[in-house]
Amino acid sequence: MASAKGARNAAMWGADMLNDSQGRVLGELDKGYGAANGYLGQAGDLYSGMTGQGQQGLDRYNALTLGSGADIQKALEGSGGYQFNMNQGLQALQRTRAAQGMLNSGNTDTDAMSFASGLASNTLGAERQALQPYLNMYQQGLGGQAGVYGQQGAAASDHYGNRGSIMDNTTKSIVGLGTDAFKAGDQAKAANQQMMLGALGSIAGLAGTAMGGGFGAGGFFTNMFSPKGKG
């Protein structure tokens, strides 16, 4: 029968083994989480670059779309292509009117205004259309970043949830070992007490037998005190 001390030693050894195992498992779990988080961080950086590039196009698109007409016209005139086309178009119109002898007529001013208005409208539409890929890039970048953040959040939740579960299971196992050790100790004590009681009972029985023999014929005490040589 195992002793109470032996049961306690076994429980302590088991607890040490569980703690060592828990440390190794948690260490590997941390490594996996760190690696996954690193890869997600790299993906997030790529999406951040897309968002940054797309932001430039978004700012330009907003300048050509939002605000007053004067603000939009000012933003449009800031385009080098627009100024070049405007200058070239007006010069061509002046040459045409000069060749026709109508350079100083009112029609020349009207034609110039119509040309400028048409050029602004066409250029504005073309500029907005040209910025569409940047808007798509910006949206994809934002969506990608949001997805990465969501995955990082889920990974963190799973990681710390798993850590908590492992630590909880280890604690429960150690408590179980301690409980079993106490039970084993109690059982060992009870068994030892039972053996002692049994031994005492046997001794008492032997003593009783010896005492009883002294009062019977041929008993221990009778033989002991009988004169030697007498039959």
Side-chain angles (χ1 to χ4, degrees):
M1 181 66 67
S3 66
K5 183 177 181 181
R8 288 195 297 270
N9 290 338
M12 292 176 63
W13 176 82
D16 290 340
M17 293 293 293
L18 285 170
N19 282 324
D20 290 342
S21 177
Q22 174 184 275
R24 291 193 298 271
V25 173
L26 291 179
E28 293 300 316
L29 190 64
D30 290 342
K31 289 180 182 178
Y33 171 70
N37 204 37
Y39 291 132
L40 287 172
Q42 293 177 18
D45 291 340
L46 293 176
Y47 284 121
S48 179
M50 291 178 62
T51 304
Q53 294 180 24
Q55 181 71 57
Q56 300 176 20
L58 178 63
D59 293 341
R60 176 65 177 168
Y61 185 87
N62 288 337
L64 295 174
T65 306
L66 306 177
S68 64
D71 292 335
I72 295 175
Q73 181 66 30
K74 183 178 179 180
L76 185 62
E77 291 175 354
S79 170
Y82 173 79
Q83 289 296 340
F84 176 80
N85 291 332
M86 176 65 75
N87 293 335
Q88 292 296 312
L90 291 178
Q91 290 177 15
L93 181 61
Q94 289 177 350
R95 287 194 296 268
T96 299
R97 290 307 183 190
Q100 296 174 348
M102 301 173 60
L103 184 59
N104 295 323
S105 67
N107 291 334
T108 300
D109 294 336
T110 301
D111 291 342
M113 293 176 61
S114 298
F115 170 76
S117 177
L119 178 63
S121 178
N122 293 334
T123 303
L124 184 60
E127 286 273 339
R128 290 173 176 172
Q129 186 64 33
L131 292 171
Q132 191 62 45
Y134 290 93
L135 302 183
N136 295 336
M137 185 183 298
Y138 181 77
Q139 292 175 348
Q140 292 174 5
L142 282 182
Q145 284 182 297
V148 168
Y149 291 145
Q151 293 179 50
Q152 286 178 324
S157 177
D158 291 343
H159 173 66
Y160 289 107
N162 290 333
R163 282 182 61 89
S165 178
I166 291 171
M167 295 170 69
D168 181 61
N169 289 335
T170 300
T171 300
K172 289 179 179 178
S173 298
I174 291 176
V175 171
L177 288 176
T179 302
D180 292 341
F182 281 117
K183 289 181 180 179
D186 290 341
Q187 292 173 357
K189 289 180 181 179
N192 289 336
Q193 291 175 354
Q194 187 66 33
M195 290 176 62
M196 291 178 65
L197 290 174
L200 291 174
S202 298
I203 294 173
L206 290 174
T209 301
M211 291 296 291
F215 297 98
F220 174 76
F221 287 99
T222 301
N223 294 331
M224 180 176 180
F225 292 103
S226 296
K228 292 184 179 179
K230 292 184 179 181

